[in-house]
Amino acid sequence: MSDSIKYVLDESRMPRTWYNLAADLPGPPPPVLHPGTLKPVGPDDLAPLFPMSLILQEVSTERAIEIPEPVRDVYRQWRPTPLYRARRLEHALQTPARIYYKYEGVSPAGSHKPNTAVAQAFFNREAGVKKIATETGAGQWGSSLAFAGALFGIEILVFMVRVSYDQKPYRRAFMEIFGARCVPSPSNETNFGRQVLAATPNSNGSLGIAISEAVEVAATRDDTKYALGSVLNHVLLHQTIIGQEALAQLEMANDYPDIVVGCTGGGSNFAGIAFPFIGEKLRRGRDVRILAIEPSACPSLTRGKYAYDFGDTGHMTPLVKMHTLGSAFMPPGFHAGGLRYHGMAPMVSHVKELGLIDARAYPQVSCFEAGVTFARAEGIVPAPEANHAVRGAIDEAIRCREEGVSRAILFNLCGHGHFDMQAYTDYFAGKLTDHAYDEGELAMALSGLPSVPSAV
Amino acid sequence: MSDSIKYVLDESRMPRTWYNLAADLPGPPPPVLHPGTLKPVGPDDLAPLFPMSLILQEVSTERAIEIPEPVRDVYRQWRPTPLYRARRLEHALQTPARIYYKYEGVSPAGSHKPNTAVAQAFFNREAGVKKIATETGAGQWGSSLAFAGALFGIEILVFMVRVSYDQKPYRRAFMEIFGARCVPSPSNETNFGRQVLAATPNSNGSLGIAISEAVEVAATRDDTKYALGSVLNHVLLHQTIIGQEALAQLEMANDYPDIVVGCTGGGSNFAGIAFPFIGEKLRRGRDVRILAIEPSACPSLTRGKYAYDFGDTGHMTPLVKMHTLGSAFMPPGFHAGGLRYHGMAPMVSHVKELGLIDARAYPQVSCFEAGVTFARAEGIVPAPEANHAVRGAIDEAIRCREEGVSRAILFNLCGHGHFDMQAYTDYFAGKLTDHAYDEGELAMALSGLPSVPSAV
């Protein structure tokens, strides 16, 4: 058999701009609303939380937004990331498909998250910010911002979902190596945290609660801003370097994907690989099918409602229109912690509504099975989140075999699983099960969506 | 400050041969002896354990040994590995030194070990071998051979030191992902294992015991060969791709090291970075100081005796002349498991005796301190083993500052610490201490060295 092939993009060809999909869409996504007035928020409303440079990126409709040179200098430590043709996997699957994957696990934190963490830390430092508060679920985002904070001299405070804080002490240690302070959420450091603890002293916490705590800290302390690792436009924007590099690398391979696959939690790695290809479709008519894979235990795109909702449990964030399971929805405790969020990035939701992408949900056991098949062929152990994309790509490759058609499949391997070995241990011990959410709870969470007049 | 710089070697310049230092030394190292006859072993004596191609590499005096194309194909997944100029670290240390590091943690198993695992698996497959038995301490080597076995269709059986098997379940899971079988040693699968268990049912195991078990399996089963991850000449040979790449990358940087630093356990990553530079010194007179850093809790090069000794506890291996603490020496349980071996590679010992390298020993806490300094500056969390090289390099850089001299320091960052976070957790909790070995035990172990007539 032929061995797998690595496509190395020369540093001189690393993108100089991020790609802003908003420039090429037929219309803008619905506006973000102030929860009190139900009127669109302006830049000033967001100023307590973010530096103005990031707020302007959030609402920009310019196609190309420059990546500052100091950010590119840091990117160069691990970028351009490799694109692989997975010939060993193709051989194992006996498929005529051409499978490509972009590997973001080569970054210091082991995932795509530093692409935006470094950018956000830079723009905050430029604005004179000395401290940033954030939240983290599985720990990928917290690790990445801790790394970026160490580079730009910014103190990082991470509210880590209590259950992850207890179960994943190694992610916490990783953040501490970079000098970040990591506290379990709900905590005694915020009014909202104290309120939750008073009601439920043994609360496991949730991403929604942790977001509320971090936002409260940023909103109430003059010296502290807030940072989010997914969902928002500017975060997705920073990830588009992934897809832009992949475009250049596929050109080296003289190929173009028929299908692009990414896993979706908040939507950032998916947007990173997919948006540049959607742009090619809209601007140049290059046909491509885009497939978002989500966990069936937290299926916002396939089972959620496209509606205005809060991004957090404490209802401190503005209202955004997105596919949501309701901010009160508590997803079961499956292993892809990075995909356990009740909502979807508004921009990803918007392109779904426009019919530019498809979505599919998978249970976790079949995703781990796909991850092990991938690892044995390609030598890389994927993160549980990434296993969803692997499953999606493998299923498309199997379909190629069944139909006797050779299609080019590109997927984003957004991170390695070195900090998720307990999940693999459970998988091999037969202890990993598929969790179904409670349909009644979902209905209840959806019925609690905030009421927004449809005229807005 | 200027940012750190990555030197990317084009794939077309990846070395086509391994470098064999034996060709350039004034004389060969002392012969390997049969423990019964005390006569030099011949290729046939080793044939039950290794395929003939590797045995011939073991005794070769040819300078350049071709890397087979299928091995290079696999190497290309992560090679050439990056060489970095650590300017952020230089800035943090306020040193005029130019610090370079070669980063081997980008491999699938996260260290330099796959360089030889892939080669060994390939040569075994060429010889028709279907099964390989090996041992592993911390798990780096077992993981690497498991990966290589998956690629070349060879069943891998790993005897993992009991205490590591229990303490590092994630390394075991990593091997299982690649389809290897991993059993705790001492085990019931070998005579020697049963013998140890009968005497000490709760034995923690040791690398020496695990080697004996793996060798026994290979020696007594027709379908199984043995593989070692360090110490032997052919293993060190396969690692020389590291130093050869570094030579080419330093040429890109228009620089040449005054000092080359590596950590030493069995000696393979040290030889990988150092031997090509020793070759430059011997052939071209390019002056360079080579520094081996070992743990002060297991100081074979600085406190061991240069003498013939067994490689294992069960005394099944041939006798090799090396710096040894005695095969009965039990090093304390410090965190750099990859450096916990009583002996040193015969070739590394030989160049030490020839005065071509210096050695220094460090206690573990100061190594972790150096690792954290490095991580905060450069964004990569080193393995505990690699922290020894980091400590050595940082101390040399501090000396440059104190002396007001700018020297070029190159060190090998042989692996990342993603599977060693418990050690960092202990370090931050203040629970990490420096272990001293018992001087009486060392004296006893040294007094038990096998008696070999000096005429040999």
Side-chain angles (χ1 to χ4, degrees), chain A residues 6 76-77 79 84 88 170 176-177 376 378 418 422, chain B residues 6 76-77 79 84 88 170 176-177 376 378 418 422:
Chain A
K6 176 174 64 179
R76 277 191 200 95
Q77 182 176 348
R79 304 209 71 89
Y84 290 98
R88 297 196 298 242
Y170 295 165
E176 286 172 357
I177 287 174
R376 288 191 184 169
E378 296 295 321
H418 298 172
Q422 188 58 48
Chain B
K6 175 175 63 178
R76 277 193 201 95
Q77 182 176 350
R79 304 209 73 89
Y84 290 98
R88 297 197 297 242
Y170 294 164
E176 286 172 356
I177 288 174
R376 287 191 185 168
E378 297 295 322
H418 298 172
Q422 188 58 49

PDB file of all heavy atoms in Angstrom, chain A residues 6 76-77 79 84 88 170 176-177 376 378 418 422, chain B residues 6 76-77 79 84 88 170 176-177 376 378 418 422:
ATOM      1  N   LYS A   6       2.030  13.742   3.835  1.00  0.00           N
ATOM      2  CA  LYS A   6       1.892  15.014   4.558  1.00  0.00           C
ATOM      3  C   LYS A   6       2.091  16.164   3.571  1.00  0.00           C
ATOM      4  O   LYS A   6       3.065  16.170   2.818  1.00  0.00           O
ATOM      5  CB  LYS A   6       2.955  15.077   5.662  1.00  0.00           C
ATOM      6  CG  LYS A   6       2.988  16.393   6.436  1.00  0.00           C
ATOM      7  CD  LYS A   6       3.959  16.325   7.614  1.00  0.00           C
ATOM      8  CE  LYS A   6       5.387  16.121   7.163  1.00  0.00           C
ATOM      9  NZ  LYS A   6       6.356  16.078   8.279  1.00  0.00           N
ATOM     10  N   ARG A  76       3.494  30.872  14.138  1.00  0.00           N
ATOM     11  CA  ARG A  76       4.564  30.148  13.433  1.00  0.00           C
ATOM     12  C   ARG A  76       5.185  29.046  14.266  1.00  0.00           C
ATOM     13  O   ARG A  76       5.867  28.186  13.737  1.00  0.00           O
ATOM     14  CB  ARG A  76       5.672  31.118  13.008  1.00  0.00           C
ATOM     15  CG  ARG A  76       5.385  31.847  11.729  1.00  0.00           C
ATOM     16  CD  ARG A  76       6.611  32.583  11.202  1.00  0.00           C
ATOM     17  NE  ARG A  76       6.198  33.613  10.273  1.00  0.00           N
ATOM     18  CZ  ARG A  76       5.998  34.887  10.609  1.00  0.00           C
ATOM     19  NH1 ARG A  76       6.221  35.287  11.845  1.00  0.00           N
ATOM     20  NH2 ARG A  76       5.587  35.750   9.703  1.00  0.00           N
ATOM     21  N   GLN A  77       4.963  29.083  15.597  1.00  0.00           N
ATOM     22  CA  GLN A  77       5.519  27.997  16.409  1.00  0.00           C
ATOM     23  C   GLN A  77       4.980  26.649  15.944  1.00  0.00           C
ATOM     24  O   GLN A  77       5.687  25.645  16.001  1.00  0.00           O
ATOM     25  CB  GLN A  77       5.181  28.231  17.887  1.00  0.00           C
ATOM     26  CG  GLN A  77       5.783  27.156  18.794  1.00  0.00           C
ATOM     27  CD  GLN A  77       5.534  27.421  20.255  1.00  0.00           C
ATOM     28  OE1 GLN A  77       5.113  28.490  20.663  1.00  0.00           O
ATOM     29  NE2 GLN A  77       5.818  26.419  21.077  1.00  0.00           N
ATOM     30  N   ARG A  79       2.246  26.565  13.206  1.00  0.00           N
ATOM     31  CA  ARG A  79       1.559  26.735  11.943  1.00  0.00           C
ATOM     32  C   ARG A  79       2.550  26.995  10.823  1.00  0.00           C
ATOM     33  O   ARG A  79       3.658  27.451  11.101  1.00  0.00           O
ATOM     34  CB  ARG A  79       0.567  27.927  11.990  1.00  0.00           C
ATOM     35  CG  ARG A  79      -0.468  27.864  13.093  1.00  0.00           C
ATOM     36  CD  ARG A  79      -1.752  28.583  12.700  1.00  0.00           C
ATOM     37  NE  ARG A  79      -2.447  27.812  11.687  1.00  0.00           N
ATOM     38  CZ  ARG A  79      -3.352  26.854  11.962  1.00  0.00           C
ATOM     39  NH1 ARG A  79      -3.717  26.603  13.185  1.00  0.00           N
ATOM     40  NH2 ARG A  79      -3.894  26.173  10.996  1.00  0.00           N
ATOM     41  N   TYR A  84      -2.904  16.019   5.935  1.00  0.00           N
ATOM     42  CA  TYR A  84      -2.507  14.661   5.563  1.00  0.00           C
ATOM     43  C   TYR A  84      -3.500  14.039   4.588  1.00  0.00           C
ATOM     44  O   TYR A  84      -4.705  14.251   4.716  1.00  0.00           O
ATOM     45  CB  TYR A  84      -2.439  13.749   6.796  1.00  0.00           C
ATOM     46  CG  TYR A  84      -1.293  14.044   7.740  1.00  0.00           C
ATOM     47  CD1 TYR A  84      -1.490  14.807   8.887  1.00  0.00           C
ATOM     48  CD2 TYR A  84      -0.022  13.545   7.493  1.00  0.00           C
ATOM     49  CE1 TYR A  84      -0.443  15.067   9.768  1.00  0.00           C
ATOM     50  CE2 TYR A  84       1.032  13.802   8.367  1.00  0.00           C
ATOM     51  CZ  TYR A  84       0.814  14.557   9.502  1.00  0.00           C
ATOM     52  OH  TYR A  84       1.851  14.814  10.363  1.00  0.00           O
ATOM     53  N   ARG A  88      -3.246   5.316   4.672  1.00  0.00           N
ATOM     54  CA  ARG A  88      -3.286   4.091   5.489  1.00  0.00           C
ATOM     55  C   ARG A  88      -4.715   3.830   5.966  1.00  0.00           C
ATOM     56  O   ARG A  88      -5.163   2.688   6.025  1.00  0.00           O
ATOM     57  CB  ARG A  88      -2.314   4.207   6.667  1.00  0.00           C
ATOM     58  CG  ARG A  88      -0.850   4.335   6.192  1.00  0.00           C
ATOM     59  CD  ARG A  88       0.164   4.062   7.309  1.00  0.00           C
ATOM     60  NE  ARG A  88       0.088   4.981   8.416  1.00  0.00           N
ATOM     61  CZ  ARG A  88       1.076   5.811   8.799  1.00  0.00           C
ATOM     62  NH1 ARG A  88       2.222   5.841   8.133  1.00  0.00           N
ATOM     63  NH2 ARG A  88       0.927   6.590   9.826  1.00  0.00           N
ATOM     64  N   TYR A 170      -5.498  16.884  35.509  1.00  0.00           N
ATOM     65  CA  TYR A 170      -4.319  17.118  34.671  1.00  0.00           C
ATOM     66  C   TYR A 170      -4.492  18.338  33.781  1.00  0.00           C
ATOM     67  O   TYR A 170      -3.530  19.029  33.451  1.00  0.00           O
ATOM     68  CB  TYR A 170      -4.013  15.880  33.830  1.00  0.00           C
ATOM     69  CG  TYR A 170      -3.616  14.693  34.693  1.00  0.00           C
ATOM     70  CD1 TYR A 170      -3.606  13.407  34.174  1.00  0.00           C
ATOM     71  CD2 TYR A 170      -3.249  14.866  36.022  1.00  0.00           C
ATOM     72  CE1 TYR A 170      -3.230  12.324  34.961  1.00  0.00           C
ATOM     73  CE2 TYR A 170      -2.890  13.788  36.821  1.00  0.00           C
ATOM     74  CZ  TYR A 170      -2.879  12.523  36.281  1.00  0.00           C
ATOM     75  OH  TYR A 170      -2.513  11.447  37.066  1.00  0.00           O
ATOM     76  N   GLU A 176      -2.029  25.556  35.238  1.00  0.00           N
ATOM     77  CA  GLU A 176      -1.175  26.116  36.292  1.00  0.00           C
ATOM     78  C   GLU A 176       0.286  26.197  35.845  1.00  0.00           C
ATOM     79  O   GLU A 176       1.007  27.107  36.244  1.00  0.00           O
ATOM     80  CB  GLU A 176      -1.325  25.299  37.578  1.00  0.00           C
ATOM     81  CG  GLU A 176      -2.660  25.590  38.264  1.00  0.00           C
ATOM     82  CD  GLU A 176      -2.964  24.668  39.441  1.00  0.00           C
ATOM     83  OE1 GLU A 176      -2.172  23.746  39.717  1.00  0.00           O
ATOM     84  OE2 GLU A 176      -4.013  24.870  40.074  1.00  0.00           O
ATOM     85  N   ILE A 177       0.706  25.260  35.021  1.00  0.00           N
ATOM     86  CA  ILE A 177       2.076  25.329  34.489  1.00  0.00           C
ATOM     87  C   ILE A 177       2.273  26.668  33.788  1.00  0.00           C
ATOM     88  O   ILE A 177       3.327  27.290  33.889  1.00  0.00           O
ATOM     89  CB  ILE A 177       2.344  24.147  33.529  1.00  0.00           C
ATOM     90  CG1 ILE A 177       2.485  22.843  34.323  1.00  0.00           C
ATOM     91  CG2 ILE A 177       3.618  24.403  32.699  1.00  0.00           C
ATOM     92  CD1 ILE A 177       2.605  21.602  33.460  1.00  0.00           C
ATOM     93  N   ARG A 376      -5.193   3.433  14.807  1.00  0.00           N
ATOM     94  CA  ARG A 376      -4.406   2.267  14.383  1.00  0.00           C
ATOM     95  C   ARG A 376      -3.858   2.441  12.972  1.00  0.00           C
ATOM     96  O   ARG A 376      -2.807   1.908  12.639  1.00  0.00           O
ATOM     97  CB  ARG A 376      -5.241   0.994  14.474  1.00  0.00           C
ATOM     98  CG  ARG A 376      -5.455   0.611  15.918  1.00  0.00           C
ATOM     99  CD  ARG A 376      -6.049  -0.767  16.148  1.00  0.00           C
ATOM    100  NE  ARG A 376      -6.255  -0.894  17.606  1.00  0.00           N
ATOM    101  CZ  ARG A 376      -6.943  -1.859  18.185  1.00  0.00           C
ATOM    102  NH1 ARG A 376      -7.481  -2.816  17.466  1.00  0.00           N
ATOM    103  NH2 ARG A 376      -7.070  -1.883  19.494  1.00  0.00           N
ATOM    104  N   GLU A 378      -3.477   5.689  11.368  1.00  0.00           N
ATOM    105  CA  GLU A 378      -2.736   6.935  11.153  1.00  0.00           C
ATOM    106  C   GLU A 378      -1.808   7.309  12.303  1.00  0.00           C
ATOM    107  O   GLU A 378      -1.025   8.250  12.196  1.00  0.00           O
ATOM    108  CB  GLU A 378      -3.720   8.076  10.874  1.00  0.00           C
ATOM    109  CG  GLU A 378      -4.532   7.877   9.582  1.00  0.00           C
ATOM    110  CD  GLU A 378      -3.655   7.904   8.321  1.00  0.00           C
ATOM    111  OE1 GLU A 378      -2.730   8.717   8.280  1.00  0.00           O
ATOM    112  OE2 GLU A 378      -3.900   7.098   7.405  1.00  0.00           O
ATOM    113  N   HIS A 418      -4.655  13.200  24.316  1.00  0.00           N
ATOM    114  CA  HIS A 418      -3.716  12.847  25.383  1.00  0.00           C
ATOM    115  C   HIS A 418      -4.262  13.112  26.782  1.00  0.00           C
ATOM    116  O   HIS A 418      -3.798  12.518  27.745  1.00  0.00           O
ATOM    117  CB  HIS A 418      -2.398  13.616  25.212  1.00  0.00           C
ATOM    118  CG  HIS A 418      -1.682  13.294  23.939  1.00  0.00           C
ATOM    119  ND1 HIS A 418      -0.576  13.961  23.502  1.00  0.00           N
ATOM    120  CD2 HIS A 418      -1.936  12.362  22.983  1.00  0.00           C
ATOM    121  CE1 HIS A 418      -0.176  13.459  22.343  1.00  0.00           C
ATOM    122  NE2 HIS A 418      -0.986  12.495  22.004  1.00  0.00           N
ATOM    123  N   GLN A 422      -8.848   8.566  29.995  1.00  0.00           N
ATOM    124  CA  GLN A 422      -9.817   7.850  30.817  1.00  0.00           C
ATOM    125  C   GLN A 422     -10.993   7.395  29.956  1.00  0.00           C
ATOM    126  O   GLN A 422     -11.527   6.297  30.143  1.00  0.00           O
ATOM    127  CB  GLN A 422     -10.304   8.731  31.983  1.00  0.00           C
ATOM    128  CG  GLN A 422     -11.158   7.981  32.994  1.00  0.00           C
ATOM    129  CD  GLN A 422     -10.427   6.788  33.611  1.00  0.00           C
ATOM    130  OE1 GLN A 422      -9.291   6.900  34.048  1.00  0.00           O
ATOM    131  NE2 GLN A 422     -11.061   5.626  33.614  1.00  0.00           N
TER     132      GLN A 422
ATOM    133  N   LYS B   6      11.196  29.186  14.346  1.00  0.00           N
ATOM    134  CA  LYS B   6      11.169  27.766  13.989  1.00  0.00           C
ATOM    135  C   LYS B   6      11.963  27.565  12.708  1.00  0.00           C
ATOM    136  O   LYS B   6      11.744  28.277  11.732  1.00  0.00           O
ATOM    137  CB  LYS B   6       9.715  27.323  13.793  1.00  0.00           C
ATOM    138  CG  LYS B   6       9.546  25.889  13.304  1.00  0.00           C
ATOM    139  CD  LYS B   6       8.065  25.480  13.248  1.00  0.00           C
ATOM    140  CE  LYS B   6       7.284  26.307  12.260  1.00  0.00           C
ATOM    141  NZ  LYS B   6       5.877  25.929  12.147  1.00  0.00           N
ATOM    142  N   ARG B  76       8.124  10.542   7.650  1.00  0.00           N
ATOM    143  CA  ARG B  76       7.613  11.802   7.079  1.00  0.00           C
ATOM    144  C   ARG B  76       6.329  12.283   7.737  1.00  0.00           C
ATOM    145  O   ARG B  76       5.939  13.430   7.573  1.00  0.00           O
ATOM    146  CB  ARG B  76       7.350  11.624   5.575  1.00  0.00           C
ATOM    147  CG  ARG B  76       8.578  11.805   4.736  1.00  0.00           C
ATOM    148  CD  ARG B  76       8.243  11.932   3.250  1.00  0.00           C
ATOM    149  NE  ARG B  76       9.410  11.616   2.460  1.00  0.00           N
ATOM    150  CZ  ARG B  76       9.670  10.412   1.942  1.00  0.00           C
ATOM    151  NH1 ARG B  76       8.795   9.426   2.094  1.00  0.00           N
ATOM    152  NH2 ARG B  76      10.775  10.212   1.265  1.00  0.00           N
ATOM    153  N   GLN B  77       5.642  11.395   8.474  1.00  0.00           N
ATOM    154  CA  GLN B  77       4.426  11.842   9.160  1.00  0.00           C
ATOM    155  C   GLN B  77       4.742  12.983  10.124  1.00  0.00           C
ATOM    156  O   GLN B  77       3.936  13.897  10.297  1.00  0.00           O
ATOM    157  CB  GLN B  77       3.786  10.670   9.912  1.00  0.00           C
ATOM    158  CG  GLN B  77       2.489  11.077  10.613  1.00  0.00           C
ATOM    159  CD  GLN B  77       1.795   9.912  11.276  1.00  0.00           C
ATOM    160  OE1 GLN B  77       2.146   8.754  11.092  1.00  0.00           O
ATOM    161  NE2 GLN B  77       0.768  10.210  12.071  1.00  0.00           N
ATOM    162  N   ARG B  79       8.448  13.981  10.643  1.00  0.00           N
ATOM    163  CA  ARG B  79       9.802  14.445  10.413  1.00  0.00           C
ATOM    164  C   ARG B  79       9.874  15.209   9.101  1.00  0.00           C
ATOM    165  O   ARG B  79       9.036  14.980   8.235  1.00  0.00           O
ATOM    166  CB  ARG B  79      10.809  13.269  10.334  1.00  0.00           C
ATOM    167  CG  ARG B  79      10.827  12.347  11.544  1.00  0.00           C
ATOM    168  CD  ARG B  79      12.192  11.717  11.727  1.00  0.00           C
ATOM    169  NE  ARG B  79      13.125  12.726  12.223  1.00  0.00           N
ATOM    170  CZ  ARG B  79      13.322  12.984  13.509  1.00  0.00           C
ATOM    171  NH1 ARG B  79      12.703  12.298  14.428  1.00  0.00           N
ATOM    172  NH2 ARG B  79      14.140  13.942  13.869  1.00  0.00           N
ATOM    173  N   TYR B  84      13.988  24.876  17.085  1.00  0.00           N
ATOM    174  CA  TYR B  84      13.572  26.219  17.497  1.00  0.00           C
ATOM    175  C   TYR B  84      14.738  27.008  18.073  1.00  0.00           C
ATOM    176  O   TYR B  84      15.565  26.454  18.800  1.00  0.00           O
ATOM    177  CB  TYR B  84      12.483  26.152  18.573  1.00  0.00           C
ATOM    178  CG  TYR B  84      11.137  25.668  18.096  1.00  0.00           C
ATOM    179  CD1 TYR B  84      10.740  24.339  18.277  1.00  0.00           C
ATOM    180  CD2 TYR B  84      10.248  26.540  17.468  1.00  0.00           C
ATOM    181  CE1 TYR B  84       9.499  23.899  17.848  1.00  0.00           C
ATOM    182  CE2 TYR B  84       9.003  26.098  17.040  1.00  0.00           C
ATOM    183  CZ  TYR B  84       8.637  24.779  17.232  1.00  0.00           C
ATOM    184  OH  TYR B  84       7.401  24.355  16.810  1.00  0.00           O
ATOM    185  N   ARG B  88      12.149  33.515  23.299  1.00  0.00           N
ATOM    186  CA  ARG B  88      11.321  33.898  24.452  1.00  0.00           C
ATOM    187  C   ARG B  88      11.972  33.404  25.748  1.00  0.00           C
ATOM    188  O   ARG B  88      11.943  34.086  26.770  1.00  0.00           O
ATOM    189  CB  ARG B  88       9.903  33.346  24.299  1.00  0.00           C
ATOM    190  CG  ARG B  88       9.184  33.941  23.065  1.00  0.00           C
ATOM    191  CD  ARG B  88       7.664  33.740  23.094  1.00  0.00           C
ATOM    192  NE  ARG B  88       7.263  32.354  23.070  1.00  0.00           N
ATOM    193  CZ  ARG B  88       6.531  31.765  22.110  1.00  0.00           C
ATOM    194  NH1 ARG B  88       6.118  32.468  21.059  1.00  0.00           N
ATOM    195  NH2 ARG B  88       6.199  30.502  22.187  1.00  0.00           N
ATOM    196  N   TYR B 170      -2.979   5.459  31.821  1.00  0.00           N
ATOM    197  CA  TYR B 170      -3.228   6.117  30.540  1.00  0.00           C
ATOM    198  C   TYR B 170      -2.205   5.697  29.492  1.00  0.00           C
ATOM    199  O   TYR B 170      -2.506   5.646  28.298  1.00  0.00           O
ATOM    200  CB  TYR B 170      -3.238   7.627  30.716  1.00  0.00           C
ATOM    201  CG  TYR B 170      -4.397   8.094  31.573  1.00  0.00           C
ATOM    202  CD1 TYR B 170      -4.415   9.361  32.126  1.00  0.00           C
ATOM    203  CD2 TYR B 170      -5.479   7.245  31.821  1.00  0.00           C
ATOM    204  CE1 TYR B 170      -5.481   9.785  32.913  1.00  0.00           C
ATOM    205  CE2 TYR B 170      -6.537   7.654  32.610  1.00  0.00           C
ATOM    206  CZ  TYR B 170      -6.536   8.928  33.158  1.00  0.00           C
ATOM    207  OH  TYR B 170      -7.583   9.341  33.922  1.00  0.00           O
ATOM    208  N   GLU B 176      -2.959   0.104  24.158  1.00  0.00           N
ATOM    209  CA  GLU B 176      -4.095  -0.730  23.754  1.00  0.00           C
ATOM    210  C   GLU B 176      -4.832  -0.127  22.565  1.00  0.00           C
ATOM    211  O   GLU B 176      -5.371  -0.849  21.727  1.00  0.00           O
ATOM    212  CB  GLU B 176      -5.038  -0.958  24.938  1.00  0.00           C
ATOM    213  CG  GLU B 176      -4.442  -1.939  25.948  1.00  0.00           C
ATOM    214  CD  GLU B 176      -5.236  -2.067  27.238  1.00  0.00           C
ATOM    215  OE1 GLU B 176      -6.233  -1.328  27.415  1.00  0.00           O
ATOM    216  OE2 GLU B 176      -4.832  -2.884  28.084  1.00  0.00           O
ATOM    217  N   ILE B 177      -4.856   1.182  22.484  1.00  0.00           N
ATOM    218  CA  ILE B 177      -5.476   1.820  21.323  1.00  0.00           C
ATOM    219  C   ILE B 177      -4.807   1.319  20.049  1.00  0.00           C
ATOM    220  O   ILE B 177      -5.461   1.080  19.038  1.00  0.00           O
ATOM    221  CB  ILE B 177      -5.373   3.359  21.421  1.00  0.00           C
ATOM    222  CG1 ILE B 177      -6.328   3.884  22.492  1.00  0.00           C
ATOM    223  CG2 ILE B 177      -5.693   4.017  20.067  1.00  0.00           C
ATOM    224  CD1 ILE B 177      -6.191   5.374  22.775  1.00  0.00           C
ATOM    225  N   ARG B 376       6.517  28.172  30.352  1.00  0.00           N
ATOM    226  CA  ARG B 376       5.903  29.513  30.358  1.00  0.00           C
ATOM    227  C   ARG B 376       6.463  30.388  29.251  1.00  0.00           C
ATOM    228  O   ARG B 376       5.782  31.287  28.745  1.00  0.00           O
ATOM    229  CB  ARG B 376       6.102  30.180  31.722  1.00  0.00           C
ATOM    230  CG  ARG B 376       5.188  29.526  32.742  1.00  0.00           C
ATOM    231  CD  ARG B 376       5.100  30.249  34.067  1.00  0.00           C
ATOM    232  NE  ARG B 376       4.272  29.403  34.937  1.00  0.00           N
ATOM    233  CZ  ARG B 376       4.133  29.569  36.241  1.00  0.00           C
ATOM    234  NH1 ARG B 376       4.750  30.559  36.849  1.00  0.00           N
ATOM    235  NH2 ARG B 376       3.365  28.754  36.935  1.00  0.00           N
ATOM    236  N   GLU B 378       8.106  29.063  26.277  1.00  0.00           N
ATOM    237  CA  GLU B 378       8.050  28.473  24.943  1.00  0.00           C
ATOM    238  C   GLU B 378       6.739  27.749  24.637  1.00  0.00           C
ATOM    239  O   GLU B 378       6.507  27.333  23.500  1.00  0.00           O
ATOM    240  CB  GLU B 378       9.242  27.529  24.737  1.00  0.00           C
ATOM    241  CG  GLU B 378      10.600  28.247  24.793  1.00  0.00           C
ATOM    242  CD  GLU B 378      10.788  29.235  23.648  1.00  0.00           C
ATOM    243  OE1 GLU B 378      10.363  28.929  22.529  1.00  0.00           O
ATOM    244  OE2 GLU B 378      11.348  30.324  23.881  1.00  0.00           O
ATOM    245  N   HIS B 418       2.625  15.258  28.381  1.00  0.00           N
ATOM    246  CA  HIS B 418       1.170  15.115  28.483  1.00  0.00           C
ATOM    247  C   HIS B 418       0.724  13.917  29.315  1.00  0.00           C
ATOM    248  O   HIS B 418      -0.385  13.908  29.828  1.00  0.00           O
ATOM    249  CB  HIS B 418       0.543  15.014  27.085  1.00  0.00           C
ATOM    250  CG  HIS B 418       0.772  16.225  26.240  1.00  0.00           C
ATOM    251  ND1 HIS B 418       0.445  16.300  24.923  1.00  0.00           N
ATOM    252  CD2 HIS B 418       1.314  17.425  26.540  1.00  0.00           C
ATOM    253  CE1 HIS B 418       0.773  17.482  24.434  1.00  0.00           C
ATOM    254  NE2 HIS B 418       1.311  18.174  25.399  1.00  0.00           N
ATOM    255  N   GLN B 422       0.707  14.086  36.542  1.00  0.00           N
ATOM    256  CA  GLN B 422       0.674  13.859  37.980  1.00  0.00           C
ATOM    257  C   GLN B 422       1.959  14.396  38.626  1.00  0.00           C
ATOM    258  O   GLN B 422       1.923  14.959  39.724  1.00  0.00           O
ATOM    259  CB  GLN B 422       0.512  12.362  38.283  1.00  0.00           C
ATOM    260  CG  GLN B 422       0.275  12.059  39.754  1.00  0.00           C
ATOM    261  CD  GLN B 422      -0.963  12.776  40.299  1.00  0.00           C
ATOM    262  OE1 GLN B 422      -2.028  12.725  39.689  1.00  0.00           O
ATOM    263  NE2 GLN B 422      -0.827  13.472  41.430  1.00  0.00           N
TER     264      GLN B 422
END
